[in-house]
Amino acid sequence: MLYPTSSESKLTKESSKLAINGGTPICQKTWPTWPQSNPATEKAVIDVLRSGRWTISGFTNGKSTQEQIFAAAFADFLGVKHCIPTDHGTSALELALAACSVGPGDEVIVPGLTWVACPYAVLTNQAVPVLADVDPHTMCIAAESVQQLITPKTKAVLVVHLYCRIADMTALNLIAKEHNLVLIEDCAQAHGARWRGRSVGTIGKVGAFSMQQGKPMTSGEGGCCVTDDDELADLIYRLRTDGRSFLPNVQALGKMQLWEHGGVAGRNHCLSDIQLAILTAQLKDLQDQNARRRENAAYLTELLIQLPGVSIPNFHDPEDEETYYHFAFFLNEEFLQGRSIGWVSEALSAELGIWVHQPYVPLNRHPLYVPEEKHWVKQCTEAREAVRKDQFTLPYAEEVYGKTLLLHHSILLAEHKDMELIAAAMKKVHEVGK
Ligand SMILES: Cc1ncc(COP(=O)(O)O)c(C=O)c1O
């Protein structure tokens, strides 16, 4: 059922008035909230609270740590050897870069359309973020742009699988091989996405995930690094744990399991056992939730592309399994008819009672991205010049910003028929003038 067009039925004066202008909204239902707790998650938290051990740096209680349990389960789910949990996705990125020896004098190519944590993770390691443009069809970093930005100082490429699409790993792998660059995959938004049969995060040297509240799998805050490389995994572990390593053999009750062997300048980016237990419980639901999101996204796509001026970001290959942090759709002038996309997002939000919004502001003009304010940058003329954001032009990132609207993945957990309400709201906003 779609919102009837004027040719199909006469709109009443009231129903044709947009909700943003005081009319009746298309939808007054309650949409699924996020995050979602369940009895298993609640029991997992209570079990940890009663266990006497709330973190790996606590004394052993004779049982596997929550970290061991989650790390093994997530590594198995992804098909990778090692998973090292971290307190945030940002720290996972910082640690991944540090472990790959990214440091002063290095350049790291980062997409110009992503969350500010990406370039800041590079700056935290005193390296220079170089902003690449994106592919306007997938919104992810464009291999052609990466190719153009490579200099003798380029050490790594930070690939982000953005919103609901997977970056072109075939082209990026080729470039990385040719120029001996490290590929780090930021999978903060793509838990369980698969590219040519492989989980994202396992294709580059290291994958970094975020488990912050809005993400498709969450413990409120959290993250992890994943890799197949034993040495790199050990280094990330030690960098994350103040230089300490975990002794796999169960120690006598009441003893520490962390071995203070030093040798690396580490910091504490550990996740608490309470959060890890939440993640283990949430992981059990991830595949079913991803399947439901995919199913609803396919139906919503089918409905939306019937509307004038609406299209959907491209797939690379029908074999790939995308996941959804946000469902993205593109609007052209045929839909907008002179109205700004910002206004359309407000009008849709009012019709649906959910937040429909634009993507990230491109980094070269993002108000939160102020690399010149980093302490080490302030002290170095060369660095100030190297990080200047006005040197980067990102026409495709601007195009994506100007044509895209996003719906949070929790909306895709609603009933199948609820997708029709979204299409109906789109139809109403398209048909009823400003
Ligand atoms: C692409 C991307 N990278 C990194 C991060 C940082 O993750 P966190 O908020 O867990 O530090 C985010 C968070 O939104 C993100 O979207």
Side-chain angles (χ1 to χ4, degrees):
M1 197 278 301
L2 280 184
Y3 178 79
T5 60
S6 33
S7 57
E8 286 161 350
S9 78
K10 281 246 174 304
L11 294 177
T12 64
K13 219 174 173 194
E14 180 52 23
S15 72
S16 67
K17 192 168 171 189
L18 292 173
I20 195 174
N21 294 331
T24 308
I26 283 281
C27 160
Q28 296 181 12
K29 76 180 287 301
T30 309
W31 294 89
T33 54
W34 190 261
Q36 296 182 352
S37 188
N38 55 32
T41 306
E42 283 153 28
K43 179 174 183 313
V45 170
I46 289 170
D47 286 351
V48 174
L49 289 177
R50 292 177 179 166
S51 73
R53 186 173 191 179
W54 293 1
T55 177
I56 51 157
S57 54
F59 300 119
T60 180
N61 59 2
K63 298 182 182 151
S64 298
T65 62
Q66 293 301 323
E67 173 159 296
Q68 284 174 306
I69 297 168
F70 171 69
F74 198 48
D76 186 52
F77 171 74
L78 297 177
V80 69
K81 255 172 116 176
H82 305 281
C83 165
I84 306 103
T86 59
D87 51 1
H88 301 96
T90 305
S91 41
L93 287 175
E94 289 169 3
L95 291 160
L97 289 159
C100 293
S101 307
V102 170
D106 294 330
E107 292 176 357
V108 178
I109 301 178
V110 173
L113 191 77
T114 184
W115 181 232
V116 290
C118 299
Y120 278 135
V122 176
L123 287 159
T124 299
N125 282 291
Q126 302 205 0
V128 169
V130 174
L131 306 184
D133 209 353
V134 297
D135 176 334
H137 307 293
T138 65
M139 308 172 288
C140 296
I141 193 165
E144 304 75 42
S145 181
V146 170
Q147 182 87 53
Q148 284 164 12
L149 293 167
I150 294 170
T151 73
K153 292 182 179 173
T154 310
K155 181 79 170 259
V157 182
L158 184 56
V159 178
V160 180
H161 304 298
L162 199 72
Y163 298 132
C164 51
R165 287 296 171 261
I166 302 171
D168 184 353
M169 295 307 289
T170 310
L172 291 163
N173 264 331
L174 278 175
I175 294 173
K177 271 209 179 93
E178 190 188 338
H179 297 273
N180 195 24
L181 305 176
V182 177
L183 269 194
I184 294 172
E185 290 179 85
D186 181 337
C187 310
Q189 308 186 355
H191 309 63
R194 288 171 74 78
W195 173 85
R196 312 289 143 88
R198 292 175 68 181
S199 298
V200 301
T202 69
I203 303 156
K205 189 107 178 132
V206 190
F209 288 80
S210 162
M211 276 72 149
Q212 174 273 340
Q213 157 142 350
K215 303 302 184 310
M217 185 175 81
T218 178
S219 47
E221 297 286 355
C224 71
C225 291
V226 299
T227 182
D228 276 323
D229 185 317
D230 298 343
E231 276 179 32
L232 208 54
D234 181 54
L235 181 55
I236 294 171
Y237 201 95
R238 288 161 59 200
L239 285 171
R240 183 215 64 166
T241 320
D242 288 323
R244 295 173 288 181
S245 292
F246 190 78
L247 292 168
N249 300 331
V250 176
Q251 300 297 292
L253 284 185
K255 285 253 167 101
M256 292 285 280
Q257 270 172 293
L258 291 175
W259 173 38
E260 299 187 4
H261 71 22
V264 301
R267 31 202 164 141
N268 183 0
H269 285 301
C270 296
L271 199 53
S272 84
D273 273 21
I274 297 161
Q275 290 160 299
L276 286 155
I278 293 173
L279 287 178
T280 305
Q282 296 277 312
L283 178 58
K284 296 199 172 93
D285 296 329
L286 179 65
Q287 240 165 330
D288 285 350
Q289 288 170 339
N290 276 346
R292 188 185 182 105
R293 291 179 187 116
R294 257 182 223 123
E295 237 175 78
N296 276 335
Y299 184 42
L300 184 55
T301 300
E302 196 185 305
L303 298 174
L304 293 189
I305 57 175
Q306 292 173 36
L307 299 173
V310 184
S311 61
I312 301 293
N314 280 358
F315 292 96
H316 277 303
D317 190 304
E319 295 301 305
D320 295 345
E321 285 174 50
E322 77 291 359
T323 52
Y324 290 86
Y325 173 48
H326 286 99
F327 177 92
F329 53 96
F330 298 151
L331 302 179
N332 70 17
E333 199 40 48
E334 203 184 344
F335 186 95
L336 294 171
Q337 303 173 94
R339 300 168 302 182
S340 77
I341 191 138
W343 181 86
V344 170
S345 75
E346 303 271 331
L348 285 170
S349 299
E351 293 299 337
L352 290 165
I354 52 179
W355 188 38
V356 183
H357 58 101
Q358 285 178 263
Y360 300 120
V361 172
L363 283 172
N364 59 350
R365 63 182 182 90
H366 198 298
L368 293 181
Y369 184 50
V370 281
E372 64 281 4
E373 289 302 316
K374 272 273 173 192
H375 185 64
W376 71 270
V377 173
K378 275 186 178 163
Q379 294 181 326
C380 170
T381 320
E382 202 186 329
R384 278 203 304 276
E385 200 45 38
V387 304
R388 254 188 36 238
K389 14 186 219 188
D390 63 5
Q391 70 188 293
F392 302 107
T393 46
L394 303 169
Y396 287 126
E398 287 296 345
E399 180 185 319
V400 170
Y401 180 74
K403 72 177 179 184
T404 310
L405 289 180
L406 303 170
L407 297 168
H408 189 246
H409 64 82
S410 52
I411 304 306
L412 299 176
L413 294 175
E415 298 294 318
H416 188 70
K417 65 177 173 25
D418 292 337
M419 300 303 108
E420 294 167 9
L421 293 168
I422 300 169
M426 289 278 287
K427 200 169 167 89
K428 181 177 172 189
V429 170
H430 175 249
E431 288 182 358
V432 181
K434 199 168 173 181

